[in-house]
Amino acid sequence: MKKQVAVIFGSPNAEHDISVASAASAIEHFPHDLYDLIPIFISKEGRWFTGDYSLEMLQANKLEGHHELLLQFNPERPGFVFKESNAVLPVDAAFLMLHGRMGEGGEIQGLLNIARIPYAGCEVLSSALCMDKAYTHMIAELNDIPMADYRLLLKGEAYDISDIEYPVIVKPSREGSSFGVTLAKDEAALHAALEFAFSFDSRVLIEEYIKGTECGMGILKTKKDYIVSDVDQVNVAGEVFDFQEKYHPHATETLPVSTFPESVRKQIQAYGERVFELLDCKTFARIDFFVTEDHKIFFNEINTIPGFTANSRYPKMMDRQGVNYTSLIAKMVEDVL
């Protein structure tokens, strides 16, 4: 009998729609010959459902035919319970396609730990540290990983920005997909950017603007594999790789292998592996950097559940290392089973 694997997606977070898009690809390419798939959708209101979701429904983000679920805390029979019938839906493992704070911030990981459901990816503390960019900064800088200078502001507390040197990047400390991110070139723009960022999070960063090229690398680490991808290169059309250019690109181009000298690429990979280790990451992550014209490297952020559509950077990174999309999912699920 095949193991039952729940693909969990959605959530009440800002990245709800992106999570559904990632799940659509993961479900389309799921290794159905190896495991039985249970789609579990978390609505924007935070309720959990399952259903016979077709690929067309997922791609259109119109998920009908819901059966509401409740999480069961029974170590002898991990899984869910149908709310209407009280019937049990056993689950052997979870594959998380939850971008944003619930999925990448450690929230669902803690819940699944209590429910005794194993899952692919980082655990609670690692997820929380990687999601909170301020803590990522602290850990990286204490270990000589270069990052942009920054300042952390807390909502409701007084702060002085009179000594800021422009331009700066303003971003919520605990958001992804560039939600709430703004490039501010003067004090008026900074005030507006802070107000915008605080609408997403109570912790906001003001970062030095690094004029450089964005790039990244992926890591897959299981009991059987340790794969480090090539360094890709994102040639951004504008000044910031924002939400619009990430998900509705106009002129942004991603090169599968960066044009930096080999020594620079190897240093980026070394920094990426070190960050993955320092933050105690598991299974997979994408680590992003900036490289200036004179080849100075700045670690930007780590994504513990990176974009996972067929066109997303991380699956493409692994595909170039000989691990196609379906094999990638199979390796990750096998690792936790």
Side-chain angles (χ1 to χ4, degrees):
M1 185 174 177
K2 290 191 288 187
K3 298 284 189 180
Q4 298 207 117
V5 177
V7 175
I8 305 178
F9 60 100
S11 91
N13 302 146
E15 295 185 76
H16 174 98
D17 293 350
I18 301 163
S19 298
V20 175
S22 285
S25 285
I27 290 170
E28 180 181 7
H29 297 90
F30 191 83
H32 296 277
D33 57 325
L34 300 177
Y35 309 109
D36 286 331
L37 182 150
I38 301 170
I40 295 182
F41 167 65
I42 303 176
S43 72
K44 290 183 178 180
E45 294 73 39
R47 296 165 68 189
W48 298 44
F49 300 92
T50 191
D52 295 323
Y53 304 129
S54 68
L55 184 59
E56 291 74 19
M57 290 166 66
L58 287 159
Q59 289 172 339
N61 200 359
K62 294 183 178 180
L63 303 175
E64 300 159 1
H66 292 159
H67 301 287
E68 189 163 3
L69 297 173
L70 303 174
L71 187 59
Q72 176 170 262
F73 296 97
N74 181 352
E76 296 179 1
R77 199 177 186 188
F80 293 80
V81 173
F82 287 95
K83 186 176 180 179
E84 290 183 3
S85 65
N86 211 34
V88 175
L89 178 63
V91 168
D92 296 295
F95 187 75
L96 305 177
M97 285 288 95
L98 288 163
H99 308 305
R101 202 177 304 181
M102 175 181 277
E104 294 176 271
E107 295 177 3
I108 194 169
Q109 288 83 358
L111 196 62
L112 294 176
N113 285 344
I114 298 170
R116 299 293 190 269
I117 297 174
Y119 50 87
C122 292
E123 296 180 359
V124 176
L125 179 59
S126 177
S127 297
L129 291 173
C130 293
M131 188 68 195
D132 193 317
K133 298 172 183 65
Y135 284 114
T136 304
H137 263 284
M138 295 174 197
I139 293 169
E141 290 173 349
L142 284 170
N143 290 276
D144 300 319
I145 307 292
M147 294 190 75
D149 290 336
Y150 77 103
R151 183 179 302 185
L152 174 65
L153 305 182
L154 304 179
K155 192 171 187 176
E157 292 192 1
Y159 52 82
D160 180 8
I161 56 173
S162 61
D163 60 342
I164 294 290
E165 294 184 11
Y166 298 93
V168 292
I169 296 289
V170 179
K171 61 177 69 170
S173 192
R174 296 169 295 185
E175 277 291 348
S177 296
S178 296
F179 279 107
V181 176
T182 308
L183 173 65
K185 297 182 178 181
D186 55 43
E187 186 172 340
L190 177 56
H191 282 294
L194 288 171
E195 183 178 357
F196 181 49
F198 276 127
S199 70
F200 288 89
D201 193 2
S202 61
R203 294 164 58 82
V204 167
L205 295 183
I206 302 175
E207 285 186 346
E208 168 194 14
Y209 174 64
I210 304 297
K211 185 174 175 56
T213 301
E214 181 155 341
C215 62
M217 50 165 288
I219 292 177
L220 174 67
K221 184 179 181 181
T222 69
K223 298 178 185 71
K224 295 182 179 180
D225 301 280
Y226 183 71
I227 298 172
V228 178
S229 80
D230 289 325
V231 177
D232 71 1
Q233 178 174 327
V234 182
N235 295 327
V236 182
E239 294 174 293
V240 179
F241 193 29
D242 58 13
F243 177 86
Q244 184 66 27
E245 283 300 324
K246 283 183 178 179
Y247 297 101
H248 307 284
H250 296 189
T252 292
E253 173 191 35
T254 301
L255 305 179
V257 180
S258 74
T259 58
F260 309 130
E262 183 180 2
S263 60
V264 175
R265 297 200 303 272
K266 288 188 177 300
Q267 182 61 72
I268 291 168
Q269 289 175 317
Y271 279 145
E273 290 183 81
R274 181 71 176 132
V275 167
F276 191 92
E277 174 190 328
L278 284 168
L279 292 164
D280 195 30
C281 294
K282 289 181 171 59
T283 316
F284 72 126
R286 195 191 74 233
I287 306 102
D288 295 338
F289 296 84
F290 293 112
V291 178
T292 62
E293 284 187 1
D294 57 354
H295 294 149
K296 289 182 180 176
I297 302 167
F298 293 85
F299 165 48
N300 180 26
E301 64 180 15
I302 181 166
N303 299 272
T304 57
I305 305 181
F308 221 82
T309 71
N311 295 316
S312 295
R313 292 166 65 196
Y314 182 83
K316 286 187 173 182
M317 289 172 174
M318 290 300 120
D319 188 63
R320 290 189 286 271
Q321 301 301 312
V323 182
N324 67 37
Y325 200 122
T326 300
S327 297
L328 177 60
I329 297 172
K331 285 177 179 291
M332 294 165 68
V333 171
E334 177 190 15
D335 191 56
V336 297
L337 286 171

